[in-house]
Amino acid sequence: MQPDLLDLHVLHHFRTRSPLTHCMTNDVVQTFTANVLLALGASPAMVIEAEEAEQFAALADALLINVGTLTSPRAQAMRRAIESAVAAGKPWTLDPVAVGALAFRTRFCQQILTLKPAAIRGNASEILALAGMSAGGRGVDTTDTAASALPAAQALARQTNAIVAVTGEVDYVTDGQRTRTIPGGDPLMTRVVGTGCALSAVVAASCSLPGDRLDNVAAACGWMKRAGSVAASQSAGPGSFSGAFIDALWNLEAQA
Ligand SMILES: Nc1ncnc2c1ncn2[C@@H]1O[C@H](COP(=O)(O)OP(=O)(O)OP(=O)(O)O)[C@@H](O)[C@H]1O
Ligand SMILES: Cc1ncsc1CCO
Ligand SMILES: [Mg+2]
């Protein structure tokens, strides 16, 4: 990726505004997600009790809804948080983990799609399933390429008015008319759990920034791609990659 694609002006906004990011995410990726947001300069808070989630969603700058370990009570709390965020004019972002593969979460995501998400970030199988163009993958990992899911991402963006990011070897970010292509990263990013989930949290936070939302979401994808490339070149495997990835996010400007 070229340095200008790092969108350093958006990164500057991100670091100086430090978006207070309400994350309702899955049990597997809580700490990694918080550390990614902190390394980029955002302020994460994982508030999940329904009453508190409803209250906090109106106060925070952005809300992330990730259905990776969805349960009925969590679904209810998420719905209350989304409605509160929408009423307060705060953007919310959906990560439809394993949608298509499992019925309960698929129904839930289809229902909340009507509540005007600002952005949707998923892997190819998830975006294809959410757009109604396939039955979905085997589980949380994709069985399709991002390029094959680009028409689905564009259709989903037009249908929902959200910015849709479909990620993989190449990331595509679209509003249904315009599409940004973000190459880079490294396959090691799929050997550490939560890079996609953490990206969705960064996308959520980026939706609270001023400027063009498509550009802001594409910038978020670019930062993660760059950090993945740098970290892969410095690590011996998934264990050391994880730490190097957080460091690379912290040092993004120095690598531009
Ligand atoms: N083959 C690859 N080469 C380079 N980068 C990749 C590759 N596959 C995924 N990535 C990057 O890894 C990150 C996570 O994307 P991915 O599509 O794997 O999300 P995901 O399946 O939702 O992940 P998770 O559920 O583990 O959080 C993105 O930044 C993406 O660009
Ligand atoms: C492994 C896993 N299982 C449920 S959520 C999750 C994190 C990756 O999406
Ligand atoms: Mg995922």
Side-chain angles (χ1 to χ4, degrees):
M1 195 187 353
Q2 283 142 39
D4 59 318
L5 289 181
L6 259 185
D7 292 311
L8 290 176
H9 63 289
V10 185
L11 184 58
H12 178 73
H13 274 140
F14 194 99
R15 295 216 200 268
T16 51
R17 294 174 81 103
S18 188
L20 180 58
T21 308
H22 180 184
C23 301
M24 300 182 82
T25 191
N26 70 68
D27 294 339
V28 188
V29 302
Q30 301 276 347
T31 306
F32 187 69
T33 300
N35 282 335
V36 163
L37 286 171
L38 286 167
L40 283 167
S43 183
M46 279 60 178
V47 180
I48 59 168
E49 169 62 27
E51 181 188 329
E52 292 190 346
E54 180 178 334
Q55 180 189 3
F56 191 59
L59 304 173
D61 295 308
L63 170 66
L64 168 69
I65 298 293
N66 175 309
V67 300
T69 51
L70 194 66
T71 61
S72 294
R74 286 177 191 192
Q76 281 171 30
M78 286 174 177
R79 186 186 291 278
R80 282 176 64 175
I82 294 167
E83 285 169 352
S84 173
V86 170
K90 304 298 176 69
W92 72 276
T93 291
L94 175 64
D95 186 330
V97 179
V99 156
L102 296 162
F104 174 67
R105 65 184 64 196
T106 303
R107 279 198 308 277
F108 177 69
C109 286
Q110 282 164 349
Q111 287 163 5
I112 61 175
L113 269 192
T114 60
L115 299 175
K116 298 187 173 22
I120 302 166
R121 198 294 314 168
N123 65 37
S125 295
E126 292 158 352
I127 296 300
L128 280 161
L130 204 55
M133 295 189 185
S134 89
R138 290 173 57 234
V140 301
D141 294 326
T142 191
T143 54
D144 302 277
T145 65
S148 73
L150 177 55
Q154 290 165 328
L156 187 63
R158 284 193 292 270
Q159 177 201 325
T160 59
N161 271 323
I163 302 295
V164 178
V166 56
T167 59
E169 184 180 358
V170 176
D171 295 351
Y172 300 93
V173 179
T174 183
D175 64 5
Q177 315 296 332
R178 301 171 296 160
T179 298
R180 304 260 189 273
T181 301
I182 302 110
D186 191 277
L188 255 186
M189 296 174 82
T190 66
R191 297 285 112 197
V192 174
V193 79
T195 50
C197 299
L199 170 57
S200 296
V202 180
V203 164
S206 78
C207 285
S208 73
L209 300 179
D212 186 302
R213 185 162 287 165
L214 180 77
D215 290 340
N216 292 340
V217 172
C221 291
W223 305 332
M224 298 290 272
K225 282 287 198 191
R226 172 58 67 92
S229 303
V230 170
S233 72
Q234 295 173 348
S235 50
S240 49
F241 175 85
S242 204
F245 183 72
I246 302 290
D247 289 350
L249 289 172
W250 176 256
N251 290 311
L252 271 176
E253 289 93 338
Q255 294 141 8

